[in-house]
Structure formats: C-alpha cells, structure tokens
Amino acid sequence: IGVTHQKYSVAAAIYAGTAAASGQTSISNGIDVARQTFFNAPARNDSHQRVILILSDGDQTQMLGGLEAAVAAADRIKGDGVKLFAVGFGKVSIATLKGMASEPQSEYVY
C-alpha cells in the first residue's frame, strides 16, 4: 500500500494475504512486507532512519519457518540499515525477540 494515513487501507493490507485467518503467525512475512514497503515505495527523505516495531509474543508458527525464519527476515531488513525494535507480550519467546532486534538488545528489546 505504500505510505498512507488511511486507516482502512492499513487494515486491509494487514489482513490481505496473511496467515492470520488460519490462526498461524508469520513474523517473517510481516517483516518482509515492511522491507518491500520501505524500499519499493518512493522515498520521501532517505536521510531519515527507517525503523520497524514488532509487537509479538515472538512465536512464529513452526511450519512457517519458526524462529529461524523470523530471525532471518529480521537480519535481512537490519542489513538494509533498518533499526528493529522487538516488544514482547503474553507468553513471550524471548529468544526470538532477541534474535530479531537490533543491537544493543538492552535498547531494542522490551
């Protein structure tokens, strides 16, 4: 959807093509969509730091790649210079959150 302030466009993009309807979680898919949005949309100002905020229990469905897929997607976007904050809630998989977050973890994992 690119950059938008239309809440209905955002909601539609979240639910389109996600695993949410089946009860599965794909953190890696969300990160990959954010990466595509950052780098395929017209840049308004490349001098600004790009940031992604993951709100999750850190539990990616195993048949969708599990922890390894989530961390690999995070590594790709961090490799592009994006800072990744990981905020956990519920029964948290801290290993996934720490694996995804930028360094130092004390500043990027909550």
Side-chain angles (χ1 to χ4, degrees):
I1 66 170
V3 177
T4 183
H5 298 285
Q6 303 289 326
K7 69 180 179 179
Y8 299 109
S9 297
V10 172
I14 289 170
Y15 291 107
T18 68
S22 63
Q24 299 174 356
T25 301
S26 181
I27 299 167
S28 58
N29 184 50
I31 294 171
D32 288 339
V33 168
R35 186 170 182 247
Q36 290 171 359
T37 301
F38 279 150
F39 298 105
N40 292 338
R44 290 183 181 217
N45 187 337
D46 271 346
S47 67
H48 290 124
Q49 173 66 57
R50 289 184 167 108
V51 175
I52 184 171
L53 173 65
I54 302 290
L55 304 171
S56 176
D57 62 2
D59 187 22
Q60 174 154 320
T61 302
Q62 191 59 40
M63 66 183 261
L64 297 175
L67 174 135
E68 295 81 13
V71 171
D75 287 345
R76 286 190 296 273
I77 202 166
K78 291 185 300 185
D80 291 331
V82 176
K83 298 291 184 187
L84 193 148
F85 288 85
V87 179
F89 59 92
K91 187 177 173 187
V92 175
S93 171
I94 196 70
T96 305
L97 297 180
K98 286 182 174 181
M100 292 187 306
S102 294
E103 295 285 340
Q105 291 176 350
S106 62
E107 294 182 21
Y108 291 95
V109 178
Y110 296 92

